[in-house]
Amino acid sequence: MRRLPVYLLLDTSGSMSGEPIEAVKNGVQVMISSLRQNPQAIETAYLSVITFDSVAQQIIPLTDLASFQMVDLKATGVTALGEALILVSNRIENEVAKTTTEQKGDWKPLVFIMTDGVPTDNWLPGLAEFKKQKVAFTVACAAGSGADTAVLKQITENVVSLDTADSASIGKFFQWVTASIGVTSTKVEDAGKEISLLKELPPPPSELNIVV
């Protein structure tokens, strides 16, 4: 069974407290419920959640949708994005099965990053580690005006921004992530093909601006 690994990197720094962090929690819950209704996704998609504030931690290891249980998120501290990139690189290395001569490994992972601020650590070593990993695609979302899209553009070509980090906008982002995972899982299941370009994903809703 080839899994489709999905890594969510979520900013839980102090500036996310209140409405934004509640919207993120709700967004993940709605996403899981929707994906559980999708026959392809329930078969192939495995989700992991990594949070980053003053430190980065993997709060949920790669888990199938049926067993996935969201944990509570607290917003506190600063924005250790570099540490999160090192952690996700390490987790991809250890959790994603490689293709060998004997067997097909997992599909290349999808990585979704959401932040409302700028990295407060030295994030370039993390970027270098992350660039070594083979991922299908990475999407970074700058939530609100405090996020630095120039930083995110160095991590991935696929950057979207939300004008505000409120529950409506964050909810729309997670709906789009849900649709993207759904489309990817169908494509790998039915066609045996991976998606590598943003334009192969469902078009983002109007709340999401594509940063060029």
Side-chain angles (χ1 to χ4, degrees), residues 1-51:
M1 198 17 233
R2 299 181 73 183
R3 303 177 303 172
L4 175 67
V6 180
Y7 288 90
L8 298 179
L9 273 63
L10 304 175
D11 185 339
T12 51
S13 61
S15 54
M16 289 286 289
S17 66
E19 188 181 355
I21 200 81
E22 292 305 318
V24 168
K25 281 193 281 200
N26 190 42
V28 174
Q29 292 288 21
V30 171
M31 177 170 87
I32 296 299
S33 305
S34 305
L35 289 172
R36 282 178 178 155
Q37 314 296 316
N38 176 322
Q40 275 91 6
I42 195 102
E43 284 293 308
T44 48
Y46 279 65
L47 240 72
S48 167
V49 177
I50 288 174
T51 58

Side-chain angles (χ1 to χ4, degrees), residues 138-151:
T138 302
V139 172
C141 175
S145 56
D148 186 344
T149 53
V151 166

Side-chain angles (χ1 to χ4, degrees), residues 48-118:
S48 167
V49 177
I50 288 174
T51 58
F52 56 99
D53 39 62
S54 299
V55 294
Q57 45 190 340
Q58 185 182 39
I59 56 170
I60 301 174
L62 210 52
T63 304
D64 65 277
L65 290 172
S67 324
F68 187 94
Q69 293 278 325
M70 190 52 184
V71 298
D72 196 28
L73 300 177
K74 297 270 184 283
T76 171
V78 291
T79 312
L81 178 58
E83 205 180 306
L85 292 172
I86 288 175
L87 181 56
V88 72
S89 305
N90 171 286
R91 295 293 76 211
I92 290 171
E93 198 67 46
N94 288 295
E95 291 177 333
V96 178
K98 309 270 189 297
T99 296
T100 64
T101 45
E102 278 78 52
Q103 61 158 28
K104 287 276 195 196
D106 291 329
W107 298 102
K108 283 186 201 147
L110 318 181
V111 179
F112 294 95
I113 302 168
M114 179 174 208
T115 179
D116 75 333
V118 290

Side-chain angles (χ1 to χ4, degrees), residues 100-196:
T100 64
T101 45
E102 278 78 52
Q103 61 158 28
K104 287 276 195 196
D106 291 329
W107 298 102
K108 283 186 201 147
L110 318 181
V111 179
F112 294 95
I113 302 168
M114 179 174 208
T115 179
D116 75 333
V118 290
T120 48
D121 59 353
N122 178 6
W123 61 282
L124 291 169
L127 177 64
E129 279 306 303
F130 184 64
K131 292 284 188 197
K132 292 179 194 166
Q133 300 304 322
K134 290 188 167 64
V135 300
F137 62 84
T138 302
V139 172
C141 175
S145 56
D148 186 344
T149 53
V151 166
L152 299 178
K153 269 299 213 191
Q154 292 183 61
I155 300 172
T156 174
E157 272 300 290
N158 308 319
V159 178
V160 294
S161 68
L162 300 172
D163 294 336
T164 50
D166 60 11
S167 54
S169 302
I170 289 173
K172 289 287 188 196
F173 172 68
F174 279 102
Q175 280 175 14
W176 180 63
V177 171
T178 307
S180 300
I181 297 169
V183 164
T184 310
S185 61
T186 302
K187 193 153 180 185
V188 296
E189 280 276 292
D190 296 353
K193 286 205 171 71
E194 294 179 301
I195 284 180
S196 57

